[in-house]
Every structure is written in C-alpha cells, then in structure tokens.
Amino acid sequence: MTRRIFVLGATGTIGQATVRALVRRGFEVVCFVRPRSSVRGALGPQELVRLLPGAQLRVGDVTDAASLARDGFAGEHFDVLVSCLASRTGAPKDAWAIDHQAHVQALEQARRCGVTQVVLLSAICVQKPLLAFQHAKLAFERVLVESGLAYSIVRPTAFFKSLSGQIERVRRGKAFLVFGDGTSTACKPIGDDDLAAYLADCLDDPARRNRVLPIGGPGPAITPRQQGEALFRMTGRPARFKQVPVRLLDTIIAALDVAGRLAPALAEKAELARIGRYYATESMLVLDPATGRYDAAATPSTGTQTLFDYYARVVAGEAVVERGDHAVF
Ligand SMILES: NC(=O)c1ccc[n+]([C@@H]2O[C@H](COP(=O)([O-])OP(=O)(O)OC[C@H]3O[C@@H](n4cnc5c(N)ncnc54)[C@H](OP(=O)(O)O)[C@@H]3O)[C@@H](O)[C@H]2O)c1
C-alpha cells in the first residue's frame, strides 16, 4: 500500500524540495498550507498547485487545532508526519506559536490519525540554545522524543540561501562584509535538494530512526572569508572585505533592549539582532560538548551540491536567490 504522508511547511525552501523528493519516491503526499504562502504571502492556491506538482493541497490554519483536524487531517488515516514548518521571522512570539505550539497540536492530531513516524526538520544551532526560537524548537523536539512515535530529528547546517545575501553587493563592486576577519566561524553548507533527499530517506532508513541527526553538505567547512573570496573570483572583481566589529551588534542589541521596554516591536527587533549576532559568532558545525569547540570533522556530510557551484549558477543567472526572513545579510 502506498504510504500517506502529511506535510507541514511544504511551501518553504526545504519544504518544497522535500515534497518533490517524497512525490518522486512514490508516496501519497498531502500538504497543509495557509491561504497565502511564501515570503510575505506572495503565493495563492493556484500558484501552489504549480509549485507542488503531484501533491495534494489542503488549506487551513496550522495554529488552530480545529482547522488542523477539519481542513488538514480530515479524519483520514496517515502513516507519517513530515514537518519543515518554522517561523519565518524567528521572533519569539511567532517561534513559540509555530516551532513549538503548532507542532504540539499537529503531533496530537497525527497520532489520532494513525501516524507512527515523524520526520522533523530542526536546525544544528539548537545544540547551543541562546535564542527564543532555538528554545521553542528544542521544547518541541523533547515532546516528540517523549511521544513514543518513531522520530528522525534532522538538524542541518546552513542553507545556501542564507549564505548568498552578498552576491548582489559583490556584483555591484561593493566590499564583502565580514565579522572580525571572517575566519572565526565556519559551516558545511547543505543544498536544498540534498537536504530534502536526506529527509525523505529518513522514512525508510532504520539507522535514522529515533535519532537526532546533525547534517551538512559535501566538502570541507567554509568560512565567510572563503565565501567572499569565491565570489570575487567568480565575478572577476578585485577582493575587498569590510570588517564589521561584533561589538557594533552588541551596541545595537543593548539600545534595542532598552527601547524594547517601552515598545514591544523594538524588543522583537532586539531578538532579531541577537539572531544576527549568533550567526556572526557561532559556527554551524557539530559542537563537541567536551571541549566546547565546533568540530568540522565530526559534522556528517550528505549529497553532492556545493555552495560554490550554487554561487556560480547565481552569478551566471541560472539560479535566483530566495531572499526570505532568515537571511543573515
Ligand atoms: N536558513 C538556514 O540556513 C537554516 C539552517 C539550518 C536549519 N534551518 C531551519 O530549517 C527550517 C526551515 O527552513 P526554510 O528555509 O525551509 O523555511 P522557510 O522557507 O522560512 O519556510 C517556513 C515554512 O513554514 C511555514 N510557516 C511559517 N509560519 C507559518 C504560519 N503561521 N502558518 C502556516 N505556515 C507557516 C511557511 O509557510 P508560508 O509559505 O505560508 O509562509 C513555510 O512553509 C527552519 O526551522 C530553520 O530554522 C535553517
């Protein structure tokens, strides 16, 4: 019998790729989406039908348990819940509503509908949780582990889109911005389709069951400075780096924290600045708890897509960077 997969977050960068991977593997895929999707609600149901071929779309509100039950699961049987759902901003209220609460509700409904396995897209940065969205993700990871259902919690390193925000700057002859000298952090970037394949393969790989799975892309770890150097090489521009001191971010965060006591919107901005600081100072690699150091060799790799191949395609006009709310620059 064809297994039925209920997918959350199907319209996001990794969600779209994951739906493609699941459909390709022959699963029956049902995606629960909201009436307007994508960055700033750019896409309606008609566009989504074209975006997610081979999958069934159901429209509703993932934050509303009644809608999830009525419009989503609709009392039918499902085998697996796959979630690429995540707050688009990482702002604390939204993160707790989406990364935690919506998932808790979905898990409850899924279990009622016969689901026995869950594949969850998380993030490698939750291994050192300093931010609200990381705590929200971890809180749901714990609920999932304790649920008794089979689980694969996939914690990827950085996505290509999050490392591509400066391509346009470099193309226009501007300097590449780095924090410090641009060599104090590194990551093993992972391509959308490689990550999607990894997620889809969790369904049938017993070695990925009941495991927390950090995962990066192929090749050695890359620093921000190396990203800049590659872009200067590809665009034929002379290498020019501008160093941004981390204490500039600290000053901005402190000012927004003070202002945020009066205006909640500014408190939210302070958290977004904290997110920026986190990615400026922490590597997206496995953290060795014994030494407290990031370890590239201990970070598993999958797939074939490399960040620099992706840069080359963007520079050649063959790929377009999706600029979402998670972008660092
Ligand atoms: N960016 C990185 O480098 C990176 C690295 C490692 C891990 N991650 C993690 O990977 C995960 C997914 O990333 P992504 O880039 O694929 O995410 P994304 O493109 O921002 O997509 C988020 C998905 O969640 C849905 N969503 C958000 N808020 C919603 C709401 N209120 N109601 C219904 N649906 C909602 C979005 O639906 P709409 O289209 O309707 O908005 C979309 O389908 C996140 O957990 C992120 O932390 C990211």
Side-chain angles (χ1 to χ4, degrees), residues 14 83-104 120-145 153-157 159 212 275 278-279 284 326:
I14 305 304
S83 179
C84 300
L85 178 75
S87 160
R88 277 196 177 270
T89 61
K93 199 167 158 224
D94 195 45
W96 280 102
I98 300 301
D99 295 65
H100 177 254
Q101 187 54 28
H103 273 117
V104 170
L120 175 71
L121 173 60
S122 183
I124 201 164
C125 62
V126 304
Q127 67 190 331
K128 185 173 179 182
L130 301 176
L131 303 163
F133 86 85
Q134 295 163 339
H135 289 292
K137 279 185 188 299
L138 274 177
F140 177 66
E141 283 192 7
R142 279 193 293 273
V143 172
L144 176 56
V145 168
I153 295 173
V154 177
R155 292 181 176 172
T157 60
F159 301 165
V212 172
I275 294 175
Y278 188 97
Y279 291 122
M284 295 300 116
H326 284 294

Side-chain angles (χ1 to χ4, degrees), residues 60 82 152 172 176 181 201 213 217 271 283 325:
V82 173
S152 304
R172 282 189 271 120
F176 190 92
D181 68 355
D201 288 342
L213 301 154
E271 181 70 6
S283 289
D325 293 322

Side-chain angles (χ1 to χ4, degrees), residues 1-7 22 26-31 56 58 72-82 113-117 203:
M1 282 236 315
T2 308
R3 270 175 289 168
R4 303 192 78 218
I5 322 295
F6 193 85
V7 181
L22 292 169
F27 297 114
E28 188 181 332
V29 180
V30 174
C31 306
Q56 199 188 122
R58 295 186 183 173
F73 288 96
E76 296 168 11
H77 174 85
F78 285 90
D79 299 287
V80 185
L81 172 67
V82 173
C113 293
V115 162
T116 53
Q117 183 182 12
L203 270 71

